Amino acid sequence: MVIEENTRAGDDERYMREALKEAAQAAEEGEVPVGAVIVKDGQIVARAHNTIEAARRSSAHAEMLAIEAAEAALGAKWLTGATMYVTLEPCSMCAGAMVLARISRLVIGTEDPKTGACGSLYNIASDERLNHRIEISAGVLRDECAALLKRFFREKRQ
């Protein structure tokens, strides 16, 4: 069991680094630096970052775009067995979309105490009143994910 846990932790860090690459791309584009990747059967099936400003769509969050891309790539409306890695805790819109898409597991980089809906402010992803619940792991590469966001907003204020 220890080997299995260590492998999972290693995979979580590896895929979160991929999500961080997406977040860094968002920052370069002037978007809030949030990145997401979706993994199924050990393969990245989708990756995305925020494009809210460029798309002029409030729903163009990394998680929403990654879900759409994964569904298209897999030709399926359910993402059962998939894990989403996201650098910032999802909001209520994204958490709801993950539940509806039946994502099995969510790995969060850093929490969002202002709008987080996967444990901080709400917990839509694990709400027992809903027909699907998502296993959540938080804090994977927390410092790196938080630092990217802090740097972005510090530069915006200057």
Side-chain angles (χ1 to χ4, degrees), residues 19 22-23 26 31-38 46-52 57-70 84-88 90-91 93-94 98:
E22 288 294 322
E31 303 278 353
V32 174
V34 177
V37 297
I38 296 179
R47 55 177 62 236
H49 56 272
N50 280 358
T51 61
I52 296 163
R57 283 190 5 243
S58 60
S59 63
H61 290 202
E63 301 95 324
M64 300 294 287
L65 300 172
I67 289 169
E68 291 173 10
M84 179 181 286
Y85 294 83
V86 64
T87 57
L88 179 66
C91 69
M93 173 182 67
C94 294
M98 285 186 269

Side-chain angles (χ1 to χ4, degrees), residues 19-122:
L20 273 164
K21 289 178 187 175
E22 288 294 322
Q25 181 65 39
E28 287 179 26
E29 295 171 7
E31 303 278 353
V32 174
V34 177
V37 297
I38 296 179
V39 175
K40 184 161 175 148
D41 300 326
Q43 299 294 319
I44 295 175
V45 295
R47 55 177 62 236
H49 56 272
N50 280 358
T51 61
I52 296 163
E53 301 302 324
R56 295 180 187 229
R57 283 190 5 243
S58 60
S59 63
H61 290 202
E63 301 95 324
M64 300 294 287
L65 300 172
I67 289 169
E68 291 173 10
E71 290 169 341
L74 298 171
K77 63 180 179 179
W78 307 133
L79 299 177
T80 306
T83 299
M84 179 181 286
Y85 294 83
V86 64
T87 57
L88 179 66
E89 179 181 357
C91 69
S92 56
M93 173 182 67
C94 294
M98 285 186 269
V99 168
L100 294 174
R102 309 275 198 286
I103 287 178
S104 296
R105 184 165 177 257
L106 170 65
V107 180
I108 299 167
T110 191
E111 295 82 357
D112 185 351
K114 292 184 179 181
T115 64
C118 296
S120 291
L121 190 58
Y122 304 105

